[in-house]
Amino acid sequence: MSLIQEIVRRVKTGETSAVQMAQEYLGRIDALDGRIHAYLQVLKDRALSAAERIDEKRRRGEPVGRLAGVPIAIKDNMTLEGEATTCGSKILEGYRSTYTATAVKLLEAEDAVILGKTNLDEFAMGSSTENSAYGPTKNPWNPDCVPGGSSGGSAAAVACGMAAAALGSDTGGSIRQPASFCGVVGFKPTYGAVSRFGLVAFASSLDQIGPFAQSAADAALLFDVLSQADPQDSTCQVGGIPGGTISPNGASRPMRIGLPKEYLSHEGASPDILGAVQNAVNVFKKQGAVIKNITLPNTRLALAAYYIIAPSEASANLARFDGIRYGRRVQSLKPAPRHDTGSKVQSQQEESELVELYRRSRTEGFGAEVQRRILLGTFALSHGYYEAYYGKAQAARLAIAQDFDRAFQGVDFILAPTAPTAAFRIGEKANDPVAMYLSDIYTIPVNLAGIAGVSVPCGFSSSGLPIGLQILGPRGSDRKVLAAAGQFEQWTSRQYFSDPKGVK
Ligand code: GLN
């Protein structure tokens, strides 16, 4: 039985209570999070009263949900009514959400218990969680290393048993890459399978919410709960696409696996990673899968296209954080009074004071990486450059999506590394944006194409850090991708998973 199934069984039978379960996880947070810093906010009272309500329901003999008493953490770029949502940024200090994100509501409707909000790179821009304005999260396997990012807090919390599962968001790899760095399962659903309502937008055509879990079975259970059409998000109409498993060694035909040469010959990939992925391929082969070499020729365009498209969308999405509608306002300047005579000189002065207010609020409120993206995006969209940059990037995006379409005509899944290296040291890439961007070279094409991808633990580096295998499937193949990850987990006896209770 998987961890979530076990918790639900114990809560439903009364073997344990939801309150006890919440207390157990809150206790681990108390004991460990001083060292790991996975949480920005622990919602102890909220969690305990939610757990109390679930126990009460059970005592009255009412049915409880599919996630009864399961303690879950959410990335702090998703809203929860009445609570802070910081997005890891100073600019949202003091902001309280007035509504709850659909994904979180769906979890709560199944009686999950929300433990708190987890740390992230500011506005989900980064690959290490070092871009959080509230300090980095540490990798539970080695606290000198990053947990990956941007959903590093969620990954670290699940890896060391400070949550049974967590939600993250993945725009270019932010669920899969930290999952691979922390030795847990991280799943990016097909674009549009999970509502983004209440997720603070980074790059709306790429953003997708998904689960972190201790097994593919748990990720699949969470995906079932999360994957509902939502009238509040017009891109979320897919809903529960029927799925199932493809037998690797029987049924109607064997599983067909594609190995993209562009991912396996990349010079940036460490030998540890390539070795672990090759071993994983051998496991599939031994189980009867047919392995085919494939090509995704436009892969080399992915990073460049992403770093035009994502910052362009971000520059528009982040325009609302101006110190007036949202966000912190600089103290020394107040917006100009509106009761004046209406003279031209005065209104010009008001206007320039307002611009100054925006400028200073945004300069003080946003960190360096977010400012870099806003500048890049504003430039790429500006008159005279739009076609040269944004137009070209869209063409590259289409070519990348077509590469995958073509490949999936001949294979069921594609196997690839999740990241070119295992977790790197805190500070190692912090001052080199391009080195940081390269962490996502294997995950970004998946977002550009809108397809489904999971990272499942498949080995360890020479220094004992986890390595993730990416399993990719076409749009709508979410359940099949998760089933394949579950099979891999069984074939390898879960030997590459973190032992959440054993983390130092
Ligand atoms: N690391 C990538 C970036 O900084 C992806 C981030 C994400 O998926 N949110 O844009």
Side-chain angles (χ1 to χ4, degrees):
M1 230 187 225
S2 70
L3 175 64
I4 291 185
Q5 286 165 344
E6 181 67 18
I7 293 172
V8 173
R9 184 195 66 75
R10 287 172 60 196
V11 170
K12 277 190 174 169
T13 56
E15 197 179 304
T16 187
S17 68
V19 168
Q20 275 170 328
M21 213 59 241
Q23 277 166 342
E24 186 184 320
Y25 278 85
L26 290 166
R28 285 186 66 74
I29 296 172
D30 265 350
L32 291 176
D33 207 36
R35 274 172 285 160
I36 303 295
H37 191 40
Y39 282 89
L40 289 178
Q41 206 191 345
V42 180
L43 301 167
K44 187 172 174 191
D45 296 341
R46 196 178 190 282
L48 288 172
S49 44
E52 184 56 54
R53 281 197 300 277
I54 295 159
D55 289 336
E56 191 49 46
K57 258 208 247 184
R58 202 190 74 83
R59 277 195 290 272
R60 287 199 303 261
E62 289 170 25
V64 289
R66 283 185 284 172
L67 298 174
V70 178
I72 295 182
I74 61 180
K75 184 177 181 179
D76 200 21
N77 59 354
M78 291 171 219
T79 59
L80 200 52
E81 189 180 343
E83 305 294 345
T85 300
T86 68
C87 294
S89 182
K90 287 264 179 266
I91 208 158
L92 277 170
E93 243 172 25
Y95 165 71
R96 298 221 157 239
S97 312
T98 53
Y99 65 100
T100 298
T102 301
V104 180
K105 264 195 182 158
L106 290 168
L107 297 180
E108 290 193 313
E110 293 292 346
D111 290 328
V113 171
I114 306 303
L115 291 172
K117 316 275 302 277
T118 55
N119 200 10
L120 68 160
D121 286 300
E122 187 175 3
F123 286 102
M125 297 175 190
S127 310
S128 66
T129 318
E130 291 166 293
N131 293 340
S132 169
Y134 303 97
T137 297
K138 315 282 172 65
N139 189 312
W141 293 74
N142 177 349
D144 294 331
C145 291
V146 304
S150 64
S151 318
S154 288
V158 174
C160 62
M162 295 194 289
L167 291 187
S169 63
D170 191 315
T171 304
S174 280
I175 295 176
R176 291 159 290 156
Q177 184 255 23
S180 87
F181 281 17
C182 290
V184 298
V185 170
F187 178 53
K188 186 208 91 75
T190 299
Y191 182 78
V194 176
S195 169
R196 290 175 295 111
F197 182 68
L199 168 71
V200 177
F202 161 12
S204 311
S205 75
L206 301 160
D207 297 341
Q208 193 54 197
I209 290 177
F212 287 93
Q214 276 291 346
S215 64
D218 280 354
L221 177 52
L222 291 165
F223 177 72
D224 274 338
V225 170
L226 294 170
S227 175
Q228 305 287 335
D230 182 6
Q232 308 270 31
D233 172 359
S234 62
T235 64
C236 179
Q237 300 167 337
V238 182
I241 314 156
T245 60
I246 299 177
S247 168
N249 49 10
S252 51
R253 61 169 170 76
M255 184 193 277
R256 297 163 307 166
I257 299 281
L259 296 182
K261 79 162 189 255
E262 293 78 4
Y263 286 59
L264 299 170
S265 58
H266 177 252
E267 72 260 18
S270 83
D272 287 353
I273 302 282
L274 295 177
V277 170
Q278 190 52 55
N279 286 342
V281 171
N282 293 342
V283 169
F284 276 87
K285 200 168 169 180
K286 205 171 133 220
Q287 296 292 333
V290 174
I291 312 291
K292 298 185 178 184
N293 291 318
I294 62 164
T295 165
L296 298 167
N298 292 295
T299 301
R300 66 195 168 79
L301 305 177
L303 213 62
Y306 175 88
Y307 278 99
I308 296 293
I309 294 168
S312 295
E313 293 185 18
S315 70
N317 279 326
L318 269 55
R320 73 195 67 175
F321 303 108
D322 56 10
I324 304 267
R325 281 170 299 175
Y326 292 96
R328 131 185 147 142
R329 185 177 303 170
V330 289
Q331 292 309 310
S332 51
L333 269 173
K334 294 201 175 62
R338 298 200 134 260
H339 52 71
D340 55 77
T341 58
S343 83
K344 201 170 170 203
V345 176
Q346 182 140 8
S347 76
Q348 272 172 352
Q349 191 195 338
E350 280 178 14
E351 193 183 312
S352 72
E353 279 182 12
L354 188 63
V355 169
E356 182 62 9
L357 174 74
Y358 289 156
R359 196 184 65 75
R360 290 194 33 203
S361 297
R362 287 166 68 83
T363 305
E364 287 178 22
F366 288 134
E369 184 60 31
V370 174
Q371 293 193 22
R372 182 178 297 123
R373 306 273 179 119
I374 292 173
L375 291 172
L376 268 175
T378 307
F379 180 79
L381 293 178
S382 56
H383 182 70
Y385 295 102
Y386 184 91
E387 269 314 311
Y389 291 104
Y390 194 75
K392 265 198 185 153
Q394 290 291 26
R397 179 179 191 168
L398 183 64
I400 288 161
Q402 286 168 341
D403 280 356
F404 280 111
D405 287 346
R406 217 171 296 118
F408 285 126
Q409 283 169 15
V411 299
D412 303 305
F413 303 111
I414 293 173
L415 298 190
T418 303
T421 64
F424 44 88
R425 296 183 93 74
I426 292 176
E428 191 180 321
K429 301 190 181 179
N431 298 317
D432 186 348
V434 175
M436 193 69 89
Y437 297 171
L438 284 166
S439 301
D440 305 305
I441 193 146
Y442 301 132
T443 47
I444 276 175
V446 175
N447 300 74
L448 290 171
I451 62 176
V454 67
S455 179
V456 60
C458 75
F460 294 104
S461 71
S462 52
S463 43
L465 292 167
I467 293 174
L469 170 74
Q470 233 188 148
I471 306 176
L472 310 177
R475 285 165 165 273
S477 67
D478 303 69
R479 289 183 177 78
K480 289 179 184 160
V481 165
L482 287 167
Q487 285 177 312
F488 179 71
E489 225 174 274
Q490 277 180 10
W491 297 331
T492 52
S493 317
R494 292 182 52 79
Q495 61 180 302
Y496 305 121
F497 274 79
S498 71
D499 171 6
K501 311 280 179 234
V503 171
K504 306 96 267 331

